[in-house]
Amino acid sequence: MKTNLNRKGFCLLFSLFLLAGGGGLYASDYHSMSQVQDNVISVSGTVKDTKGEPLIGVSVLVKGTTNGTVTDLDGKFTLKVSAGDILEFSYIGYASQSVTVTNANSLNITLSEDTQALDEVVVTALGIKREEKALSYNVQQVNADKLNAVKDVNFINSMVGKVAGVQINSGASGPGSATRVVMRGMKSIEKDNGVLYVIDGVPMYNKSFGGSGGTMTKMVGSESAADINSDDIESVNMLTGPSAAALYGSDAANGVIIINTKKGSAEKTTVTINNSTTFSTVYMMPQMQSRYGRSDGYMNWGEQLPSDYNYDPRKFFDTGSDVINSISLSTGNKKSQTYVSFATTNSKGIVPESSYNRYNFTARNTSKFANDKLILDMGGSVIIQNDHNLVAQGTYNNPIPGLYLFPRGEDFNEVRTYERWNPTGIMTQYWPYTEGVHNIQNPYWIQNRNDRDMKKRRFMANVSLKYDITPWLNVVARANIDESYYTQTSKMYATTLTTFCGKNGGYSLDDMTDRSIYGDIIANVDKKIGDFRLLANVGASIKDQIYEDSYTAGDLVVANEFYTNNLNTATSYKSSQTGWHDQTQSIFASLELGWKDMLYFTATGRNDWASQLAFSDQASFFYPSVGISAVISNMLKMPEWLDFAKVRASYSKVSTPFERYLSNPSYTYDEQMHTWNKSKTYPNTSLKPEDTKSWEVGLNVRFLNGFNLDVTYYHSNTYHQTIYVPLAAATGYEKFVAQTGNIENKGVELAFGYEHQWGDFGWSSNLTVTHNKNTIKELGHGIVDPINGDAHEVSEIEKDWLGQANVAPRVLLREGGSMSDIYYNHIIQRDANGNTYVDNDGNIKLEETKEFVKAGSLAPKANLGWSNNFTYKGVSLGVVLAARFGGLVYSATQGILDYYGTSEYSAKLREQGGVPCNFGMLPAKNYLTTIGTAQGGHAAYYMYSATNIRLQELAVSYTFPKKWFNDKLGLTIGVVGRNLAMLYCDAPFDPELSAATGSNYYQGVDYFMLPSTRNFGFNIKLQF
């Protein structure tokens, strides 16, 4: 999975040498031998790699002699030998192979890459390349082939099951949804726990519209990371630990995803055309009944319906589609290489009138000047992205409540025509039912007359200049600008519920801009001194980020005319202008000292001056890391079956500034009342950065000619957590900020792989296992009140209700627990004998517990991924299984459906005569309308195991022989599938979907969330 440094360069130079001089030498030697050999035969053949590509310049040598040749541009060779001779095939970067010649039949030789042939390198922090054997921390790499085997609109979803130490949750809002990525557990109570994205060594601001949870969610959408065209990616490196990411500074405290993009190629011109077309159908959704009719309102506890009646909510959904096309040109010579690409992504969601479209244009050039001492690398991208009517969970702008709760016995076809002509001259919503408690409207009206649109324009430009001062010293300067413009609109047509707008409709316009400017300069040293090798980097950087947001919303004066100058400014008018400006200036250094290619010591240090620290007592913060790596297989004589063994250990401290304005609280604007209000948080100037101290140890071994094992144990503690402590009302403030607490994460990352080639058949397999245990070691003790000096104890912090308060479970942070622990506070009442209490009317009821009862945790105990790839000649079969073990999820939807008698479970209970209770049967309605409510099921009865095992990916492809096209064209076609089969799942919805990827705590919840999808399609790749 690693890239061999300069492998292509070595191979090219070696091939040219052999073709230019070596071939003549072989011919001369053979000429002197041919006079004495008997039984000479002429043998020919072709040498290819495991992908079927011809290998140029492969050495073909008769063992024990100097008789030999090299393969030509088509990988072909011809050589005169004697029967019984042994031919040895060797090529730099590939495992050698021997074949005994018995006759003149043509030979077809396949050489496999030799993972031990050259020192493997990986891209680490700031784009610095390091030998894999020297690293004291864990780095995982996913190459482009594995990333694009089964494409997704958001390429991050293609990483599921392929790396250890990472939890990836797909968004549930439709195509292009933002994802949630957490590495090595949640670390911060109040701050974002998401990862940092880095493109070619430059940090990226990931603006996300993933939602924050709750039952009344605002508009949702995509994220900046999803803008990247996956066909432009060369590889992705995952830095899961703070030690690996320390040089990136505070933004990297939660781990880093490094995206390495493609460059042009030297002395070769290649045009590549890719198409990926997949279709999506509804997969996991609640099971509902259509056998019992409406009793009252949306309650479906009525009589049994005729057998010919059938209402199937699945028929509402469309077959979605993702069509991704790209074309790229890679060309150049030894002095200049250019890469240009254009890609289109057009997605149609499963919900009618929902879509996502993106257009990417990218160009990059790398050129050498001044006798190759000066290297200029510059590039740019333009991205146009639009999404339309993506669906948030909850009851706002969501067609699901009306779809699921539609009164049984009624004709849904009648409401498909969602609007009717009104004599006033406008079309009005047709929905002959009430809005209920869920703000229910006609599902088709929501998708056609409650338009939610996002238009984004993004421009990125970067330049890098490297100067080789000496063979062992160079200086690199880089600059990058990344600017995005967003326009988000909401158009509510007249007769939309007055909960959302006035009688003539409503309109909102939200214009946002974010701009990130980054620059750095780094001096790099690579010097050998006797048995020692010194690698050092010293540099400085600046990162400047600005975000601005101008928002206007209100009711329309003239119906259905959506302009800001048509808003009624007298009532229900909102306007606001917000923004922020952050800047971080840094200096940093790293040192690696290697001895005899067997022992390596590394150290890094970085100091940040962050603008968030303004008005506090601390102007900057410093954080170091140290590590050691020992290649045991180079130190000691190892058994023949053990190819490579390395142990490593590292320690790091990474700091991150507290949230902006905490040391100097600003006034807050009330957009409803149009007034400025004083902050309710008491200012604190003695705040410190949040610190994560982490250590890890690891083992990397390769053995038995194809097996490899990477295992890491890590332990981290995050201190100086931001905690809000309540203040007495008389102080004029609601709370003050304290910095205390200790969040611990410890766990194991394991990757076990195997790769081998048997002639034309090859198999590669990789198993990843992740286990993380999160523990709240301390919250707050003896916290001093800044006003009166009293001491406060914080033994519990109340976080999100996962739905309706006092119905859904709640996340509570308690010492000894975890940041994902959930609790409930209502259970069925029992009598003195422990039996279910039943009153004289035959009803049961719930009672509130004396204190919250812990149900478990939202976090998994372990995640597993198993990838397999089988090849035979031109055929390739890829299979990825993904599994999660442990953790709980909550389905408010199931509780609501049970309450209304809409679920299949409610019908089955009726058919079996009710629910066993004490010594009799309790009617189904009595039971389900007690444990369920109109706002969700009571937590104690609607939590489910999140354990699930699925067929995550399946890809079958065939690469046609190039000789069919006169070696001018490469063609690969394949069929693909994603999320094809849920092999095991206890929950009534997909536990890996997240309706609020922007929230730390609102996870594992289904509150009228979109169902998951099963995806299947085909890929086509042309290269010439």
Side-chain angles (χ1 to χ4, degrees):
M1 294 172 65
K2 308 293 190 293
T3 303
N4 287 333
L5 178 62
N6 291 331
R7 171 179 286 178
K8 292 183 178 179
F10 280 122
C11 294
L12 180 60
L13 290 173
F14 185 67
S15 302
L16 291 174
F17 169 76
L18 291 176
L19 287 171
L25 175 63
Y26 283 152
S28 175
D29 287 345
Y30 175 74
H31 179 73
S32 64
M33 293 175 54
S34 61
Q35 299 176 16
V36 297
Q37 285 186 336
D38 297 322
N39 302 321
V40 174
I41 60 176
S42 178
V43 64
S44 61
T46 305
V47 184
K48 298 181 179 180
D49 62 14
T50 55
K51 296 180 181 179
E53 297 292 332
L55 291 176
I56 307 168
V58 176
S59 170
V60 186
L61 184 65
V62 177
K63 186 175 181 179
T65 75
T66 56
N67 177 27
T69 186
V70 294
T71 57
D72 62 16
L73 295 175
D74 297 315
K76 297 179 180 179
F77 71 92
T78 300
L79 186 64
K80 291 184 177 181
V81 300
S82 297
D85 281 350
I86 298 176
L87 291 185
E88 294 181 329
F89 297 84
S90 60
Y91 194 50
I92 291 179
Y94 289 77
S96 298
Q97 190 174 143
S98 298
V99 175
T100 300
V101 178
T102 58
N103 51 48
N105 291 344
S106 178
L107 298 176
N108 293 311
I109 307 299
T110 300
L111 296 185
S112 302
E113 289 188 3
D114 184 357
T115 57
Q116 304 300 317
L118 295 174
D119 291 331
E120 295 175 338
V121 301
V122 293
V123 178
T124 61
L126 299 174
I128 299 170
K129 292 183 177 181
R130 286 285 188 264
E131 291 183 4
E132 190 275 338
K133 64 184 179 182
L135 298 180
S136 59
Y137 46 78
N138 188 30
V139 177
Q140 300 169 82
Q141 186 177 86
V142 178
N143 61 31
D145 290 340
K146 294 183 179 179
L147 188 68
N148 290 317
V150 184
K151 290 184 180 179
D152 190 273
V153 174
N154 188 338
F155 81 94
I156 295 297
N157 293 323
S158 298
M159 307 285 286
V160 174
K162 299 173 184 176
V163 288
V166 185
Q167 182 179 354
I168 301 174
N169 297 106
S170 301
S173 303
S177 296
T179 58
R180 180 175 184 262
V181 184
V182 176
M183 294 182 175
R184 294 188 177 180
M186 292 170 57
K187 304 172 183 67
S188 180
I189 293 175
E190 294 294 337
K191 297 194 68 178
D192 181 24
N193 284 282
V195 300
L196 171 69
Y197 292 89
V198 173
I199 303 177
D200 293 325
V202 177
M204 181 193 78
Y205 172 59
N206 188 35
K207 174 65 177 175
S208 175
F209 295 89
S212 57
T215 60
M216 294 172 283
T217 307
K218 294 182 179 180
M219 292 172 60
V220 293
S222 190
E223 61 181 336
S224 298
D227 293 341
I228 301 169
N229 170 28
S230 63
D231 285 322
D232 290 338
I233 298 175
E234 184 71 33
S235 64
V236 176
N237 289 6
M238 313 292 277
L239 309 185
T240 54
S243 295
L247 279 182
Y248 276 120
S250 57
D251 291 339
N254 299 320
V256 178
I257 295 178
I258 298 178
I259 302 164
N260 307 303
T261 63
K262 293 178 179 178
K263 295 182 179 181
S265 54
E267 306 299 344
K268 185 179 181 181
T269 298
T270 303
V271 176
T272 304
I273 301 174
N274 284 291
N275 168 268
S276 172
T277 302
T278 57
F279 303 96
S280 306
T281 58
V282 171
Y283 188 25
M284 288 194 70
M285 65 180 289
Q287 296 183 6
M288 287 170 273
Q289 64 90 15
S290 61
R291 302 192 295 280
Y292 295 90
R294 178 185 186 188
S295 55
D296 180 50
Y298 289 102
M299 302 293 279
N300 291 292
W301 292 101
E303 298 297 324
Q304 194 160 357
L305 295 170
S307 59
D308 60 350
Y309 177 81
N310 180 44
Y311 169 64
D312 185 1
R314 285 179 176 266
K315 294 181 179 180
F316 169 81
F317 297 101
D318 293 335
T319 297
S321 62
D322 297 334
V323 181
I324 304 173
N325 293 300
S326 71
I327 181 171
S328 65
L329 168 68
S330 176
T331 188
N333 52 42
K334 292 181 180 180
K335 296 291 185 180
S336 180
Q337 301 88 44
T338 300
Y339 176 83
V340 180
S341 73
F342 176 69
T344 64
T345 302
N346 303 106
S347 298
K348 177 178 173 293
I350 58 171
V351 177
E353 299 299 323
S354 66
S355 62
Y356 172 95
N357 297 287
R358 188 180 74 241
Y359 305 91
N360 296 66
F361 176 79
T362 299
R364 183 176 184 179
N365 176 266
T366 305
S367 298
K368 296 180 180 180
F369 306 93
N371 295 322
D372 295 345
K373 289 187 175 183
L374 195 63
I375 302 175
L376 176 65
D377 188 350
M378 57 184 180
S381 296
V382 177
I383 301 166
I384 300 172
Q385 183 247 302
N386 306 309
D387 61 65
H388 177 64
N389 287 352
L390 298 189
V391 178
Q393 62 99 54
T395 62
Y396 281 15
N397 303 317
N398 189 353
I400 301 301
L403 178 69
Y404 286 2
L405 298 179
F406 183 74
R408 275 26 177 199
E410 300 289 307
D411 185 4
F412 191 72
N413 289 322
E414 184 182 352
V415 301
R416 291 182 186 274
T417 305
Y418 54 86
E419 57 186 2
R420 300 286 193 272
W421 174 255
N422 186 291
T424 60
I426 62 173
M427 300 294 285
T428 61
Q429 177 179 187
Y430 178 70
W431 184 249
Y433 313 102
T434 66
E435 63 183 276
V437 298
H438 301 291
N439 304 304
I440 296 177
Q441 302 184 87
N442 188 311
Y444 293 99
W445 175 270
I446 292 175
Q447 289 304 105
N448 287 274
R449 294 293 180 260
N450 287 178
D451 289 338
R452 292 113 33 218
D453 289 282
M454 168 71 79
K455 295 181 179 180
K456 178 180 180 180
R457 304 294 181 266
R458 184 178 181 184
F459 307 92
M460 296 188 292
N462 61 83
V463 61
S464 170
L465 188 63
K466 177 184 176 183
Y467 181 63
D468 293 327
I469 301 173
T470 70
W472 54 269
L473 173 64
N474 67 72
V475 176
V476 179
R478 299 182 297 190
N480 174 275
I481 184 169
D482 186 348
E483 191 161 16
S484 297
Y485 301 89
Y486 311 81
T487 299
Q488 190 176 56
T489 59
S490 173
K491 299 177 181 179
M492 303 289 175
Y493 282 71
T495 69
T496 293
L497 281 182
T498 54
T499 304
F500 306 116
C501 62
K503 65 177 183 179
N504 289 328
Y507 179 61
S508 71
L509 172 65
D510 196 352
D511 286 320
M512 296 161 279
T513 302
D514 68 62
R515 181 174 69 247
S516 297
I517 298 176
Y518 177 87
D520 64 25
I521 183 168
I522 308 173
N524 305 290
V525 174
D526 185 352
K527 181 74 171 176
K528 292 205 72 173
I529 308 172
D531 292 334
F532 292 90
R533 183 183 181 187
L534 173 67
L535 285 86
N537 314 93
V538 180
S541 68
I542 183 170
K543 181 183 65 176
D544 190 89
Q545 293 181 315
I546 297 176
Y547 175 77
E548 296 176 347
D549 186 345
S550 178
Y551 174 76
T552 303
D555 297 336
L556 298 178
V557 176
V558 179
N560 300 339
E561 295 293 335
F562 300 102
Y563 307 101
T564 54
N565 56 5
N566 188 38
L567 296 179
N568 184 352
T569 58
T571 59
S572 302
Y573 177 74
K574 299 179 181 180
S575 66
S576 68
Q577 186 170 354
T578 60
W580 47 263
H581 185 180
D582 291 345
Q583 187 178 102
T584 301
Q585 301 175 16
S586 310
I587 58 174
F588 50 83
S590 70
L591 172 71
E592 178 187 299
L593 186 62
W595 181 66
K596 289 187 174 181
D597 287 334
M598 64 176 67
L599 191 63
Y600 300 86
F601 170 79
T602 59
T604 69
R606 180 177 174 118
N607 200 89
D608 284 353
W609 288 264
S611 61
Q612 294 92 324
L613 302 181
F615 303 100
S616 73
D617 297 337
Q618 187 163 347
S620 68
F621 48 92
F622 173 79
Y623 36 97
S625 75
V626 293
I628 189 169
S629 171
V631 183
I632 306 300
S633 54
N634 287 354
M635 294 180 175
L636 305 172
K637 186 176 182 180
M638 294 285 128
E640 290 187 3
W641 57 267
L642 185 60
D643 303 317
F644 177 83
K646 183 186 84 169
V647 294
R648 51 184 167 81
S650 63
Y651 169 84
S652 69
K653 174 188 174 184
V654 179
S655 300
T656 177
F658 45 80
E659 293 287 351
R660 63 183 73 89
Y661 308 132
L662 283 185
S663 58
N664 183 34
S666 61
Y667 281 81
T668 59
Y669 182 70
D670 187 330
E671 63 183 32
Q672 191 74 43
M673 302 302 297
H674 307 289
T675 58
W676 288 94
N677 300 316
K678 178 182 177 182
S679 173
K680 297 297 183 181
T681 302
Y682 186 84
N684 186 346
T685 60
S686 61
L687 297 174
K688 299 178 181 180
E690 190 174 277
D691 292 333
T692 297
K693 299 178 181 178
S694 172
W695 59 267
E696 67 178 73
V697 294
L699 172 69
N700 302 79
V701 293
R702 298 167 193 166
F703 55 99
L704 295 177
N705 193 30
F707 289 94
N708 64 82
L709 173 67
D710 296 345
V711 59
T712 302
Y713 175 81
Y714 61 87
H715 186 287
S716 72
N717 293 85
T718 304
Y719 303 94
H720 301 144
Q721 298 278 344
T722 299
I723 293 177
Y724 293 95
V725 185
L727 283 171
T731 63
Y733 294 93
E734 292 181 353
K735 55 191 177 183
F736 71 92
V737 177
Q739 286 190 307
T740 182
N742 176 7
I743 305 298
E744 178 184 82
N745 284 280
K746 56 185 179 181
V748 175
E749 298 169 352
L750 182 147
F752 179 67
Y754 177 72
E755 184 172 2
H756 195 73
Q757 188 80 24
W758 298 270
D760 292 330
F761 178 76
W763 175 38
S764 64
S765 181
N766 189 53
L767 174 71
T768 63
V769 179
T770 302
H771 165 70
N772 182 79
K773 181 175 176 57
N774 177 277
T775 305
I776 302 172
K777 304 298 288 187
E778 180 185 350
L779 287 176
H781 302 289
I783 302 174
V784 178
D785 190 313
I787 297 179
N788 58 30
D790 292 345
H792 291 262
E793 296 290 317
V794 178
S795 59
E796 178 181 278
I797 298 177
E798 296 177 343
K799 287 298 179 181
D800 296 6
W801 289 97
L802 304 184
Q804 181 68 25
N806 291 307
V807 175
R810 187 171 196 177
V811 177
L812 297 178
L813 308 186
R814 293 177 175 177
E815 290 184 359
S818 78
M819 292 179 63
S820 301
D821 287 347
I822 50 177
Y823 295 76
Y824 60 88
N825 63 347
H826 285 86
I827 58 174
I828 294 175
Q829 184 177 344
R830 302 271 177 180
D831 60 23
N833 296 320
N835 295 320
T836 301
Y837 174 79
V838 181
D839 64 19
N840 293 332
D841 296 324
N843 296 317
I844 61 173
K845 60 182 180 179
L846 297 180
E847 61 179 359
E848 188 171 351
T849 58
K850 294 181 180 179
E851 61 181 22
F852 277 96
V853 179
K854 182 177 178 179
S857 173
L858 295 168
K861 292 183 179 179
N863 289 92
L864 181 146
W866 188 20
S867 304
N868 286 276
N869 192 66
F870 305 92
T871 59
Y872 179 72
K873 294 185 177 181
V875 179
S876 175
L877 168 64
V879 182
V880 179
L881 295 175
R884 165 188 172 145
F885 300 98
L888 297 174
V889 292
Y890 168 67
S891 178
T893 305
Q894 186 65 41
I896 295 170
L897 297 180
D898 283 352
Y899 174 81
Y900 282 102
T902 305
S903 66
E904 174 64 18
Y905 181 58
S906 70
K908 289 183 177 179
L909 288 185
R910 278 175 271 192
E911 290 166 354
Q912 71 182 29
V915 180
C917 179
N918 298 336
F919 303 103
M921 297 293 285
L922 183 70
K925 181 179 180 180
N926 291 21
Y927 176 67
L928 294 180
T929 55
T930 301
I931 65 170
T933 76
Q935 299 285 5
H938 278 280
Y941 308 99
Y942 287 96
M943 285 184 285
Y944 304 85
S945 169
T947 296
N948 66 90
I949 304 172
R950 73 184 69 207
L951 177 56
Q952 179 69 26
E953 289 185 7
L954 179 66
V956 182
S957 65
Y958 180 69
T959 300
F960 291 84
K962 279 190 173 183
K963 63 182 181 181
W964 290 10
F965 309 101
N966 294 322
D967 293 326
K968 302 295 184 182
L969 174 69
L971 172 61
T972 301
I973 62 173
V975 293
V976 298
R978 178 189 301 280
N979 202 32
L980 289 178
M982 188 68 77
L983 306 179
Y984 174 84
C985 184
D986 182 54
F989 66 98
D990 190 336
E992 301 307 302
L993 286 182
S994 174
T997 58
S999 171
N1000 284 339
Y1001 302 103
Y1002 197 90
Q1003 301 299 322
V1005 186
D1006 175 14
Y1007 196 102
F1008 290 124
M1009 182 172 69
L1010 282 185
S1012 67
T1013 60
R1014 178 189 278 129
N1015 312 292
F1016 54 92
F1018 58 88
N1019 290 338
I1020 301 176
K1021 180 179 180 179
L1022 291 170
Q1023 194 169 61
F1024 51 89

